[in-house]
Amino acid sequence: MTQMIQTSVRVNGVDRQVQAHPDTPLLWVLRETLKMTGTKYGCGVAQCSACLVHIDGVAAQSCQIPLSEVGSRAITTIEGLSPDSSHPVQKAWIAEQVPQCGYCQSGQIMRASALLKKNPRPSRDDILAEMQLNLCRCGSYRRIVAAVERAAREG
C-alpha cells in the first residue's frame, strides 16, 4: 500500500498543503481535501469533463491526474476563474440562461474559458469541436454554443 504524502499544490493562486496518497486523483484532492466542490465528479473515466480544471492554463480532466503528477503546476478551478463570477463566460452563461441541472456547468465553463483564452474569436465550428468534449445530460448544447459566442463577442 502506498504511503500518504504531504505536498503543496497551487490552487487559484494560493499554495495549499495537502496530505493524500500520491495516486489520489486531483479531483478528490480538490473536493475532499480542500473542500472546493465546484469541480464535479461525473464519470471518473475522462468521458464527460464535469471535472475540468485548468492546469497551467490548459483544460485538464482532474479525475485522471494523480496528485503525484501535479507538482508545482498552477491549478485553476471554477472557484478561481473569477472572484466575483464576472468572467465573460460566466456572464454569458447567465445571459443565455444555459444552466439546467447545473451539474456539468463548471466543466463547461472551464472548457469555454480555455477555448477563448487560446482563440478569442472562435468560429462556430471551433466552438462545436471544442465543446463536444463535454457532456450535458440536459441537452443545453444550443445555449452553451450561444453563450460561448456571446462571450467571444462581448468578452
Side-chain angles (χ1 to χ4, degrees):
M1 181 169 217
T2 309
Q3 294 284 332
M4 293 183 69
I5 59 171
Q6 176 86 25
T7 188
S8 178
V9 292
R10 186 160 188 81
V11 181
N12 300 331
V14 177
D15 291 323
R16 298 176 183 252
Q17 292 296 313
V18 297
Q19 184 173 6
H21 289 279
D23 57 349
T24 303
L26 175 60
L27 169 66
W28 297 118
V29 172
L30 294 170
R31 289 186 58 82
E32 299 297 325
T33 305
L34 298 176
K35 307 298 183 199
M36 302 176 82
T37 58
T39 304
K40 304 298 184 197
Y41 171 76
C43 65
V45 293
Q47 296 295 305
C48 72
S49 295
C51 66
L52 209 74
V53 297
H54 296 171
I55 297 180
D56 289 337
V58 177
Q61 293 163 321
S62 63
C63 72
Q64 298 299 302
I65 300 169
L67 176 61
S68 61
E69 291 183 14
V70 173
S72 61
R73 297 186 290 174
I75 300 159
T76 305
T77 67
I78 190 71
E79 292 94 341
L81 191 61
S82 168
D84 59 358
S85 301
S86 64
H87 188 280
V89 173
Q90 292 171 311
K91 290 167 56 178
W93 233 250
I94 293 167
E96 294 294 335
Q97 301 179 2
V98 174
Q100 290 290 305
C101 80
Y103 201 81
C104 71
Q105 298 307 297
S106 60
Q108 299 272 4
I109 290 170
M110 295 305 284
R111 174 84 64 197
S113 63
L115 167 64
L116 295 177
K117 186 175 181 180
K118 71 179 176 188
N119 181 1
R121 299 286 180 249
S123 68
R124 187 174 189 87
D125 287 344
D126 294 336
I127 295 169
L128 292 172
E130 190 72 15
M131 298 310 293
Q132 74 174 350
L133 302 171
N134 287 60
L135 297 180
C136 173
R137 296 187 320 181
C138 301
S140 298
Y141 296 110
R142 286 185 46 205
R143 286 184 281 179
I144 289 169
V145 171
V148 177
E149 289 174 328
R150 178 186 284 254
R153 193 174 52 248
E154 297 177 357

